[in-house]
Amino acid sequence: MEKLQTSELDIFRNFIKKKGLRYTPEREIILREIFNIHDHFDVDELYLRLRNKGHRISKASIYRTIPLLIECGLVQEVYHEDGHMHYEHIYGHEPHAHFRCLSCRRVEEFRDERLEEVSREYAEKYGIEVKMSRFEILGYCANCKGKEEG
Amino acid sequence: MEKLQTSELDIFRNFIKKKGLRYTPEREIILREIFNIHDHFDVDELYLRLRNKGHRISKASIYRTIPLLIECGLVQEVYHEDGHMHYEHIYGHEPHAHFRCLSCRRVEEFRDERLEEVSREYAEKYGIEVKMSRFEILGYCANCKGKEEG
DNA sequence: AACTTATTGCAATTTTTTTTCAGTAGAGTA
DNA sequence: TACTCTACTGAAAAAAAATTGCAATAAGTT
């Protein structure tokens, strides 16, 4: 018996259907592109990437699609910086936390099971249904540490 | 020998001096008001509260002051919601995490030492200087859980 | 008191996100 | 396949959030 593979496209399509919405080419293209970006992204970057590939998808559509992708758990907000939100796709990735250097702005990911423990236990204790959790460390990386932040 | 008490005002004044900036009435009023708010706040709310107390401090000044308060560790960004940032004062408070209900928008604080452990260990391992860390759980509270998010 | 220069409020600007609207096109039904 | 209903789209306008320019003011030092 073969293992059925559920792709992010399937998940999104099912979600869209279940909500009585329409699975459009634009939405699929946006999703595909997001899963091509193996890094954090913002709306502008996504828009430009689509544009460079010849897609004429408006920013409005991007702004309208992202909340759907977040709702079905394929994408999450990572941090707010420079006045706008940064995202990442998460399907197929282990949960992870972020360290962000306030000086060079580098972002590192790391994993620690205790974080999931904390949220699992909190959820159990208070009867919460966890949609997602996020842990972020802000500071100065080894390189920038001495240099008085800049 | 008496224990010297350092207030948030002292901290801010020292920080301002050390940076060669000026300790102005506006900055002090903003700081005092922030420490009167025992909850999360956003720029607009702070502005309105000051206004209601007869202070004519501009939003520009608030926007210019908050980064200073963050830099000296008196204030932190808590979460970004409804298109803008929400803050809280932190001096004199134990570090804590947040749970945010995606339906009723209630925010609860909780404490878990493992979170500090995680960031302390990460910092040690990679030679990072931690400025702050933040843990947030998003989901549906016990009340909202059944009701299909709204 | 004089001086230097950071800070202020206001208004204008910039940036990000949301909304409006008219035309288009999914997707179900006849 | 044609028909119908209504969600979706891009473009532009609007709204909201945050930043900046500027002239007047005032902090803090000499």
Side-chain angles (χ1 to χ4, degrees):
Chain A
M1 216 200 216
E2 277 190 21
K3 183 175 151 204
L4 286 184
Q5 191 82 25
T6 312
S7 75
E8 56 275 12
L9 294 175
D10 294 331
I11 291 175
F12 189 45
R13 197 176 308 118
N14 291 340
F15 169 81
I16 286 288
K17 294 297 174 189
K18 209 177 74 190
K19 289 206 95 176
L21 303 176
R22 290 174 188 168
Y23 191 73
T24 65
E26 289 82 0
R27 286 177 174 163
E28 181 169 322
I29 291 167
I30 289 169
L31 175 54
R32 281 182 187 282
E33 190 56 34
I34 286 177
F35 273 78
N36 275 339
I37 304 178
H38 294 294
D39 205 348
H40 308 124
F41 66 92
D42 55 35
V43 168
D44 208 57
E45 183 186 337
L46 178 55
Y47 174 72
L48 259 22
R49 286 180 65 127
L50 289 170
R51 205 141 231 286
N52 288 340
K53 293 191 179 178
H55 299 297
R56 304 239 127 210
I57 289 175
S58 67
K59 278 196 183 176
S61 287
I62 296 176
Y63 277 113
R64 285 185 281 227
T65 301
I66 288 180
L68 296 173
L69 295 170
I70 290 175
E71 198 183 336
C72 69
L74 293 172
V75 167
Q76 69 184 349
E77 299 183 337
V78 190
Y79 53 88
H80 189 271
E81 189 181 56
D82 297 324
H84 58 267
M85 195 51 79
H86 296 248
Y87 307 88
E88 67 184 4
H89 67 250
I90 47 179
Y91 182 63
H93 290 256
E94 301 223 292
H96 56 271
H98 295 92
F99 163 73
R100 198 144 57 88
C101 177
L102 293 168
S103 175
C104 67
R105 282 141 171 269
R106 199 152 50 84
V107 177
E108 299 288 346
E109 302 184 349
F110 67 97
R111 198 166 148 48
D112 194 308
E113 316 228 335
R114 282 170 291 185
L115 300 172
E116 287 124 75
E117 251 175 61
V118 169
S119 85
R120 193 165 47 243
E121 288 173 23
Y122 182 83
E124 211 162 295
K125 187 166 171 193
Y126 294 103
I128 265 76
E129 180 190 330
V130 175
K131 183 80 187 173
M132 67 149 299
S133 64
R134 173 163 51 216
F135 185 70
E136 195 182 355
I137 300 179
L138 302 182
Y140 300 97
C141 71
N143 268 338
C144 298
K145 200 160 52 167
K147 309 178 192 163
E148 267 343 66
E149 83 229 39
Chain B
M1 214 201 218
E2 280 190 22
K3 184 175 153 204
L4 286 183
Q5 191 82 24
T6 312
S7 74
E8 56 274 13
L9 294 175
D10 294 332
I11 291 175
F12 190 44
R13 197 175 308 118
N14 290 340
F15 169 80
I16 286 289
K17 293 297 174 189
K18 208 176 78 189
K19 288 207 97 176
L21 304 177
R22 292 174 186 170
Y23 192 72
T24 65
E26 289 82 1
R27 284 177 176 163
E28 181 170 321
I29 290 167
I30 290 169
L31 176 53
R32 281 182 186 280
E33 190 55 35
I34 287 177
F35 273 79
N36 275 339
I37 305 178
H38 295 295
D39 205 347
H40 308 123
F41 65 91
D42 55 34
V43 168
D44 208 56
E45 183 186 336
L46 178 54
Y47 174 70
L48 258 23
R49 285 178 65 125
L50 290 170
R51 203 143 233 284
N52 288 340
K53 293 190 178 176
H55 299 297
R56 304 237 129 214
I57 290 175
S58 68
K59 277 195 184 175
S61 287
I62 296 176
Y63 276 114
R64 286 185 281 227
T65 301
I66 287 179
L68 296 172
L69 295 171
I70 290 175
E71 199 183 335
C72 68
L74 293 171
V75 167
Q76 70 183 348
E77 298 182 339
V78 189
Y79 54 88
H80 191 270
E81 188 181 56
D82 298 324
H84 59 267
M85 194 52 79
H86 296 249
Y87 307 88
E88 67 183 6
H89 67 249
I90 48 179
Y91 182 64
H93 290 257
E94 301 223 291
H96 57 270
H98 294 92
F99 163 73
R100 197 142 58 87
C101 177
L102 293 168
S103 175
C104 67
R105 285 141 169 269
R106 199 151 49 85
V107 178
E108 299 288 347
E109 302 186 348
F110 67 97
R111 199 167 148 46
D112 195 308
E113 315 227 335
R114 282 170 290 184
L115 300 172
E116 286 123 76
E117 251 176 62
V118 169
S119 85
R120 193 164 47 242
E121 286 173 24
Y122 182 82
E124 211 161 295
K125 187 166 170 191
Y126 294 103
I128 265 75
E129 179 191 332
V130 175
K131 183 82 186 173
M132 67 148 300
S133 63
R134 173 162 50 215
F135 184 68
E136 194 181 356
I137 299 179
L138 301 181
Y140 300 98
C141 71
N143 267 338
C144 298
K145 199 159 53 166
K147 311 178 193 163
E148 261 352 60
E149 83 230 35

